Amino acid sequence: EVQVVESGGGLIQPGGSLRLSCVASEFTVSTNYMTWVRQAPGKGLEWVSLISSGGRTYYADSVRGRFTISRDDSKNTLYLQMNSLRAEDTAVYYCARTSTRYYMDVWGKGTTVTVSS
Amino acid sequence: QSVLTQPPSVSGAPGQRVTISCTGSSSNIGAGYDVHWYQQLPGTAPKLLIYGNNNRPSGVPDRFSGSKSGTSASLAITGLQAEDEADYYCQSYDSSLSDVVFGGGTKLTVL
């Protein structure tokens, strides 16, 4: 079955760091665009970051300079390194396979990040 | 203050037709970028509902349809059913921001 599974979320203090992982099954991460989308409690969807098949990376203004998207082709895994975390980063983080037309056709169930002291 | 504007809520009775609008600008929908729609049932991850303005992925009922004109797009749902009660999001790409952009979401209530 084509799917992605996120992990790595948890409770972290403001200013801390966390790395999210997204393992893909039945498709190759490196030949696809991949996206991280987050959803704060009770709020809408917010695009966070995208990596193209060629390795180019893109970030929302709200996370640029603090978050880094990357992938490990040998593990068929996407990552989101999150540094200098803030309370407003609290959200469910979704990983999604993304087409070159920017639609997201395979979504994981998400992993929850809570930034709080 | 989403780049794409959606009504916060819509409602309809079973069997009726409802539409959800998504208004953008000349740097996203109006620039020719595709509009995509997602359905998010309570407590679940989003699911792709419509891609490329008016295409349904396999398994999505033909009660769901999309359209686009100028700087706006719409999602129409006919023959409304109780299980359609969910949040719906439009999404596109914005060339001036160089960002993927979402609408703020619309909560559909089936009366």
Side-chain angles (χ1 to χ4, degrees), chain A residues 35-37 39 43-48 50 58-61 64 94 98-99 101-110, chain B residues 33-34 36 38 40 44-48 50-53 55 87 89 91-93 97-105:
Chain A
T35 298
W36 287 99
V37 173
Q39 186 170 33
K43 303 296 184 182
L45 302 176
E46 180 188 14
W47 172 75
V48 173
L50 179 148
Y58 305 85
Y59 300 94
D61 285 347
R64 187 175 293 114
Y94 296 102
T98 304
S99 84
R101 294 165 70 183
Y102 300 108
Y103 62 84
M104 297 155 214
D105 65 341
V106 179
W107 292 71
K109 294 183 178 181
Chain B
Y33 292 101
D34 287 337
H36 318 296
Y38 302 88
Q40 187 175 32
T44 69
K47 168 192 165 185
L48 180 65
I50 297 288
Y51 68 95
N53 306 314
N55 299 288
D87 294 324
Y89 295 89
Q91 177 245 310
S92 186
Y93 178 82
L97 299 173
S98 295
D99 284 356
V100 170
V101 290
F102 283 98

Side-chain angles (χ1 to χ4, degrees), chain A residues 68-81:
Chain A
T68 302
I69 190 171
S70 64
R71 66 190 186 209
D72 185 330
D73 297 348
S74 67
K75 296 181 178 180
N76 208 30
T77 299
L78 178 75
Y79 300 103
L80 186 68
Q81 177 67 43

